[in-house]
Amino acid sequence: MNKTKFHKHAVSDVVRVTNLAAVTDREIWQTLVTPMVKCFLGPIKSCQVRLMETEKGLFPGDEVSNLNDHRLFGGQTGYLRFPYLHTLYKTENGAFIVKRDGVKFEAFGWFGDVMKGKGELIFKAALRDRRYDGTRDANDSALVDFPYDDPVLNKRLPIDARTVELSVYGFLPGSRIVDATADKEFDLFVEKPFTFLDRPELFLKLFKRAWDSKRAPGQNAAPIPDVSRLISPLFDKIAGRRGYDILEICPSHYHVAMWALALGYKITDAEEAKVMAALTEGIARIKASGIPLTRPQESWVCVLQSLPKEMIPPELYLGGVKWPQDNIGPQNLWMHKAISEKGKQLLSELGQGTGKDPGNKQ
């Protein structure tokens, strides 16, 4: 009798097909796209499907990524390791686009005529299976904009659970700062303030303008009201239907993290939880000193801490603690929430809520 033991492979590992691949365009449109976004886009009029294998998209803003610098045809750049499916639905007022590969889907809402360069991105919602995080395989998806290969900064929860990362974007058409002021520099500062840290004097000048506005960091346009209000249970529904146990998120700024905490998310890493607590306590001290802060200003205070101490107004200094995710480097502030009974049980066994670091079994 032959006792040779052969390796048993998982077909999904060979073809990189995860549960997300089964989510349909109809399901995304009907479940994930909020009523206000649908009103802006209008009804769907036509559909065009393409299998695409280059970084270049159909129009400016439609490009994808090639983080592992995959090359084909004698070393030519711009070709992807794994192609993706691109579906363009023309709507009455713009376009609804779904991009998907085996590990991720992205849904975009564009207002205006995108093919004539007059489209404005108003909505983006995505889910990404995290099974390859911490390895170079994670960067092989053309639909990821940031690297996820660092085994420490992007380590997965050490449990046998299906986990998926969500991301969402939603801004009212015609509400960008540059549309109202023609000031491209200020618009970019509000959108990506950490990119100005190498010019601290300019940072402070633009910070003072942002401080008196109602825009939080990252909000260079006005949010669509029903996206932040409705989107969380919609993500829960889609991910739950496809057998996922835990949703994860990397909040770009303090106000986004506070939104996630209010929805039941927990900070994954114990040290980063301490940082978040220190920021929250520092903001409370500022308020107690008699300085009123709006929610956007709370978030701006956190951004401000990345400047050299001597450049931070003393009344806004938080003692050296810094917001951990600058949306430029590889560090992420991972947060998670169980959406299945299995997920709840596994997180409970890890010691969630006991002060233990869920990234390490204790």
Side-chain angles (χ1 to χ4, degrees):
M1 181 177 179
N2 189 347
K3 296 183 179 181
T4 302
K5 294 183 178 180
F6 291 96
H7 170 68
K8 294 182 179 180
H9 72 278
V11 175
S12 61
D13 289 339
V14 176
V15 296
R16 289 173 59 94
V17 173
T18 70
N19 292 28
L20 288 180
V23 179
T24 66
D25 292 359
R26 180 186 298 274
E27 190 175 359
I28 296 170
W29 175 261
Q30 292 182 344
T31 304
L32 205 54
V33 182
T34 66
M36 290 189 71
V37 175
K38 288 178 181 174
C39 284
F40 284 122
L41 296 179
I44 293 174
K45 298 296 185 180
S46 64
C47 171
Q48 296 177 332
V49 183
R50 298 172 176 86
L51 185 66
M52 302 186 70
E53 60 178 356
T54 62
E55 294 176 72
K56 185 178 179 181
L58 300 183
F59 53 87
D62 192 48
E63 303 86 1
V64 294
S65 300
N66 189 4
L67 296 180
N68 280 345
D69 192 27
H70 187 67
R71 303 180 180 217
L72 288 176
F73 308 114
Q76 292 184 35
T77 61
Y79 288 92
L80 309 173
R81 179 170 174 79
F82 294 102
Y84 67 97
L85 197 65
H86 183 295
T87 308
L88 167 65
Y89 296 92
K90 290 187 177 179
T91 68
E92 189 172 85
N93 303 318
F96 172 63
I97 294 175
V98 178
K99 300 177 184 179
R100 63 172 72 249
D101 60 16
V103 299
K104 183 177 182 180
F105 74 75
E106 297 178 310
F108 302 84
W110 289 88
F111 186 79
D113 193 338
V114 293
M115 304 310 291
K116 293 184 178 180
K118 298 179 180 180
E120 180 180 358
L121 182 64
I122 64 169
F123 177 77
K124 176 182 176 181
L127 285 173
R128 184 183 68 87
D129 193 297
R130 290 201 64 204
R131 69 181 59 190
Y132 299 111
D133 281 20
T135 72
R136 278 180 58 85
D137 289 343
N139 298 342
D140 275 336
S141 171
L143 307 182
V144 297
D145 299 316
F146 298 97
Y148 291 94
D149 58 312
D150 191 293
V152 176
L153 298 178
N154 294 294
K155 64 183 178 183
R156 298 178 58 209
L157 289 163
I159 54 179
D160 182 22
R162 289 174 172 165
T163 65
V164 61
E165 179 196 11
L166 71 87
S167 55
V168 63
Y169 168 109
F171 292 112
L172 291 168
S175 67
R176 283 188 57 179
I177 291 171
V178 70
D179 294 331
T181 66
D183 191 332
K184 295 181 180 179
E185 184 177 63
F186 184 54
D187 185 279
L188 182 59
F189 172 78
V190 174
E191 182 185 13
K192 300 178 180 179
F194 292 105
T195 61
F196 285 75
L197 288 173
D198 60 340
R199 294 157 287 171
E201 293 82 7
L202 177 60
F203 180 102
L204 278 177
K205 176 184 174 182
L206 297 172
F207 170 84
K208 291 175 182 178
R209 289 179 61 186
W211 184 260
D212 294 326
S213 73
K214 294 183 179 180
R215 300 288 174 85
Q219 292 182 345
N220 62 326
I224 297 176
D226 76 344
V227 171
S228 63
R229 180 168 53 86
L230 299 178
I231 201 69
S232 179
L234 305 181
F235 273 123
D236 294 359
K237 184 180 293 186
I238 282 192
R241 285 175 184 166
R242 299 303 171 181
Y244 286 94
D245 302 303
I246 294 173
L247 274 172
E248 300 188 75
I249 186 173
C250 295
S252 55
H253 293 284
Y254 178 82
H255 64 283
V256 183
M258 295 300 288
W259 170 77
L261 287 170
L263 293 169
Y265 284 82
K266 295 182 179 180
I267 298 172
T268 300
D269 183 80
E271 293 304 313
E272 290 184 340
K274 292 177 183 178
V275 169
M276 187 67 180
L279 290 169
T280 302
E281 291 166 3
I283 289 170
R285 288 197 303 271
I286 292 174
K287 290 181 175 181
S289 73
I291 301 175
L293 295 176
T294 64
R295 177 55 65 87
Q297 286 172 340
E298 291 178 3
S299 211
W300 280 114
V301 167
C302 295
V303 172
L304 187 64
Q305 305 311 304
S306 291
L307 281 177
K309 177 182 177 181
E310 62 272 14
M311 301 195 72
I312 302 174
E315 68 275 14
L316 299 180
Y317 181 60
L318 299 183
V321 64
K322 295 182 180 180
W323 175 252
Q325 180 173 320
D326 62 10
N327 309 301
I328 302 172
Q331 184 171 359
N332 292 315
L333 175 65
W334 284 103
M335 302 178 70
H336 63 270
K337 180 182 73 171
I339 58 172
S340 75
E341 290 303 318
K342 176 183 176 181
K344 293 176 184 177
Q345 178 62 33
L346 290 171
L347 289 176
S348 176
E349 293 172 1
L350 274 180
Q352 282 294 308
T354 65
K356 295 180 180 179
D357 178 1
N360 297 282
K361 291 187 177 180
Q362 298 182 12

